[in-house]
Amino acid sequence: SQTIHQWPATLVQPVGSPLSLECTVEGTSNPNLYWYRQAAGRGLQLLFYSVGIGQISSEVPQNLSASRPQDRQFILSSKKLLLSDSGFYLCAWSANEKLFFGSGTQLSVL
Amino acid sequence: GQQLNQSPQSMFIQEGEDVSMNCTSSSIFNTWLWYKQEPGEGPVLLIALYKAGELTSNGRLTAQFGITRKDSFLNISASIPSDVGIYFCAGQKGSNYQLIWGAGTKLIIKP
């Protein structure tokens, strides 16, 4: 069966520090991968999606970037975090028109 | 970005009551997905709908794909305390990354 791992679960970072969130998927090959952000009490906003290694599409202009160095690895990064980058970040993969989420990373930028 | 109109925004219900929520749009969708999210967790897929008029159940949950393909509803029968959480609808027009999300319905059970 397929599983998705996302870490860390929580992260507190100072403004201006770098960021690296990692997501890996097991049990499937060549998945579509996604990064979403969710503000407190709000819906989900798609940040990036990837249909293959090295292929990244960005949905909104932002301070973040994404990379896919391996088939089942998706990384969300920032060189310098802003206060507005705080939020709940979710990695997801899709199959058969269904989207499956990781457990999320709560990022607090102080 | 574009959102589905999901209502109600929140619901206070008594344990044992039935619950109904819906999502509407001016656009036609090919797929409707319903998710439940608990605090600090990622959304979990409850039901997926693929055809207009389709009615699908998952335990006490029932969801339907509207005939016009512009709406969907989710019903929960005989609610229990573990049903609390935020329920999201998502509609898909084309490829996987074109999901449009509702703003969520927060379900709260009165003590």
Side-chain angles (χ1 to χ4, degrees):
Chain A
S1 64
Q2 300 87 359
T3 57
I4 180 169
H5 302 280
Q6 184 181 344
W7 67 93
T10 59
L11 191 60
V12 180
Q13 292 284 102
V15 169
S17 65
L19 173 74
S20 180
L21 302 182
E22 189 161 343
C23 172
T24 60
V25 181
E26 296 177 358
T28 185
S29 60
N30 197 30
N32 288 348
L33 297 173
Y34 310 81
W35 278 109
Y36 279 85
R37 178 169 56 204
Q38 185 177 32
R42 303 288 296 276
L44 295 106
Q45 179 187 37
L46 179 62
L47 302 176
F48 301 96
Y49 65 88
S50 171
V51 299
I53 295 174
Q55 300 179 62
I56 308 295
S57 296
S58 174
E59 287 293 295
V60 293
Q62 57 198 296
N63 182 44
L64 303 168
S65 62
S67 61
R68 186 169 176 174
Q70 300 181 45
D71 181 43
R72 289 169 287 176
Q73 184 185 28
F74 205 23
I75 298 172
L76 184 69
S77 304
S78 174
K79 293 182 180 178
K80 289 186 178 181
L81 283 168
L82 306 171
L83 287 174
S84 58
D85 290 324
S86 293
F88 191 52
Y89 290 83
L90 290 155
C91 181
W93 70 281
S94 65
N96 299 325
E97 301 176 335
K98 298 175 184 177
L99 197 64
F100 301 95
F101 288 90
S103 54
T105 296
Q106 184 63 54
L107 173 65
S108 299
V109 183
L110 306 176
Chain B
Q2 180 184 354
Q3 275 197 328
L4 299 172
N5 298 314
Q6 185 172 351
S7 65
Q9 187 175 15
S10 61
M11 302 180 71
F12 288 83
I13 60 170
Q14 297 279 5
E15 183 177 349
E17 286 183 352
D18 296 343
V19 173
S20 184
M21 60 191 80
N22 68 83
C23 279
T24 62
S25 174
S26 58
S27 301
I28 290 174
F29 290 95
N30 297 326
T31 302
W32 284 94
L33 305 174
W34 282 94
Y35 287 84
K36 178 189 176 186
Q37 185 178 27
E38 299 188 16
E41 299 289 332
V44 174
L45 181 64
L46 299 173
I47 294 177
L49 303 163
Y50 299 106
K51 297 190 300 184
E54 179 182 353
L55 186 70
T56 298
S57 293
N58 177 4
R60 292 178 295 106
L61 279 62
T62 302
Q64 185 160 26
F65 195 141
I67 290 292
T68 65
R69 295 170 62 193
K70 295 181 180 180
D71 60 351
S72 177
F73 71 75
L74 174 71
N75 287 342
I76 305 173
S77 62
S79 57
I80 60 177
S82 61
D83 289 335
V84 299
I86 302 178
Y87 293 79
F88 290 98
C89 63
Q92 180 178 308
K93 293 183 178 182
S95 55
N96 286 340
Y97 43 84
Q98 296 298 336
L99 279 179
I100 309 298
W101 291 85
T105 295
K106 188 173 185 178
L107 189 63
I108 304 161
I109 294 192
K110 298 175 187 175

